[in-house]
Structure formats: structure tokens, C-alpha cells
Amino acid sequence: MPIKIPDQLPALSILDNENIFVMSENRAASQEIRPMQVAILNLMPNKIETEVQILRMLSNTPLQINIEFIRIHKNVSKNTPEEHLQNFYHLFDDIKHKQYDGLIITGAPLALLDYSQVKFWDKICEVFDWAEKNVTSTMFSCWAAHAALYHHYGLNRHLRKEKLSGVFKHKPLDDKEPLTRGFDENFNVPHSRYGYIDKSDYESISEIQILAESADAGVYLAASKNKQQVYLTGHPEYDTSTLHEEYLRDSSKNSNTALPKNYYQDDDASKSPVGSWRSHGSLLYTNWLNYYVYQMTPYQLDASNMRAIHPDTVI
């Protein structure tokens, strides 16, 4: 089954040209299926690029998925046309009365700011609390993962002096964990971040289980034992060229910017980068949708059913 997205969303034609199964709203309206309701809170500046990357990851599943894009505020974007935001995004305040099967919260280029300095910190904390009561399972990516761990459990991140950038080998830690079912014994994931949380800090929280890690990049994947929260510190959704584009941007500001590790052929930036993580990324999102969302969510999304899934929350 495909993901269902608005007819005029730019990602529709891009993914269709890649032979990825997507369905327009008009076609989906003719099918009598209870689709999964998945919201994407997109915090990235270039929203169109991020939309394509995430929708690509969500497309390889037998489930039909309705996608809604969310933004926190009406601030003017420097990287995304206002018309696009008006046509395809809902303000959080306008949808917070609803329930969703799944929620994805993207990263944000806020790595060097204290959480108290983030202009929308109070609002993102409101989203974190809302998701606990109104979403079956939430996937927090990169900055959002660290921010949510700080908000929910008080785990504070540390900052590296140099950005962690490159493609690193990882290993799953539990053969019976559904979220990593089908993963190879070693798999690659791109990382692009300054922040990190020590493994011992994760292990200090009894509600959280570490699911995959890297000797070089640290904890990559963790989840709450009730499957409601998934914390992802890497970027399996990245295009092959994304780290290259980030490197060009960073090196234009700082000539000492290090090459992304294990990324270019022969570690030579004049040669093409090598994409080696797409299959893992697709499987991760498919497992999340199947085992953490579809297998857990009620047929009818409403407050009473959400209370049955998460009885410890107050709705």
C-alpha cells in the first residue's frame, strides 16, 4: 500500500519518478480502508527536501498512510516558500485536539544552543507532552531525540568540539527486538551532529532500552519499553548527497571543516559519495510503522482508546 499525500505536494512527482508507490488524495478517497494517521512535525529549514526524504522512508510498507505536515509557528521561513507552508502545513494549535497513530519529529539546526535559548522551547515541550496522550508512537530524530530525552527524563546532552559527520557502522543489540528485526549484524547510518548523550545516561532510565549503537557514533537507536517513544540520533533518511551538501556549506564558512568520515570514495571529496544505508533506513521505518504503530494502535482513534493504550496518561 502507498502513502497518501496532497495532490500538489512537490514530493508526489519526485517520488513517483523514483518508482515509489505514492497515492494522491483523489485516488485514496475511493478506497474503503482505515489508513494509518501519521503526522510529521518538520523543524528543518528546507522543509521540501526533508519531506521527500521522510516520505521515501515511509513508502515501502503494505499499510496505507495518511500524512499531515505540522509546523509550530507562523514565522516566515527563509528556505521554504510561504505558499508551500500555507498549502501543506497545519499549525500545531489547530490539530492538537486530534489523535494520531504515529508522529515523526525531525531534527533542527539548533545543536549549539542551550534548550532555554530555543525560541520555541516551551511550544516543543507542549508537543512532547501532547504526544504522550494523543499519539500511539512517536519517533524523535536527532536534535528532537535529545530534546525529548531532556524534557521527559532530564538527560542532558554534551557537545563535541568538532561535528560528528560521516557514515558509521552500527550493530543491533537485541535479536528479538521488533524495531530492529531483519537488520544486518553490521549496518551503516549517516550522522551529522554535535550533541551526544552518554550510554550510561540512557542506561540510568529503566523505561528506556538501547537498541543499536556504534563504536564511533555512540547510541543510535533507543526506545521506551512501551513502544511509545523512539529516539533516533542518526539520519537514515538522508539522500546520498546530503552530507556532501552539508560539507560544502560548512567548509565555505570554515576552511578547517573535516571531511565526513567513511563517505567519499577513497576519502576524496572530489569523488562521488557512496550511499550505503538506504535499505536499513527503509526497514527501520517499516518496522516502526508495523510493530510500534499498526500492531499497537486501536481501529478507531479517539481519546478513550488512547487511554486504553497508555493507561498511565491523563487525557
Side-chain angles (χ1 to χ4, degrees), residues 219-238:
V219 174
Y220 161 61
L221 180 65
S224 60
K225 292 178 180 178
N226 66 0
K227 297 182 170 59
Q228 192 179 6
Q229 299 165 350
V230 175
Y231 300 99
L232 189 67
T233 65
H235 288 283
E237 80 283 358
Y238 267 12

Side-chain angles (χ1 to χ4, degrees), residues 1-71:
M1 285 293 184
I3 50 175
K4 191 197 82 172
I5 55 181
D7 294 43
Q8 302 304 316
L9 189 75
L12 182 65
S13 60
I14 295 172
L15 297 177
D16 188 54
N17 288 334
E18 295 179 12
N19 199 32
I20 289 176
F21 194 9
V22 293
M23 180 181 289
S24 67
E25 288 182 319
N26 286 336
R27 182 180 174 190
S30 66
Q31 296 192 334
E32 294 185 1
I33 295 173
R34 155 63 165 96
M36 297 291 96
Q37 304 293 333
V38 174
I40 300 173
L41 176 57
N42 190 352
L43 302 175
M44 293 298 288
N46 190 336
K47 298 194 184 310
I48 295 175
E49 178 184 35
T50 304
E51 291 161 13
V52 174
Q53 291 176 348
I54 294 178
L55 291 175
R56 187 185 289 120
M57 293 294 99
L58 294 173
S59 65
N60 193 28
T61 168
L63 304 171
Q64 182 172 313
I65 307 164
N66 288 350
I67 300 294
E68 289 188 6
F69 290 103
I70 302 171
R71 57 175 173 157

Side-chain angles (χ1 to χ4, degrees), residues 204-225:
S204 70
I205 307 300
S206 61
E207 294 92 339
I208 293 178
Q209 181 180 1
I210 300 172
L211 304 179
E213 64 181 0
S214 164
D216 298 310
V219 174
Y220 161 61
L221 180 65
S224 60
K225 292 178 180 178

Side-chain angles (χ1 to χ4, degrees), residues 265-286:
Q265 295 183 45
D266 303 320
D267 287 328
D268 184 346
S270 67
K271 296 183 178 181
S272 299
V274 178
S276 58
W277 57 87
R278 183 69 59 81
S279 58
H280 149 71
S282 179
L283 183 55
L284 172 64
Y285 279 82
T286 297

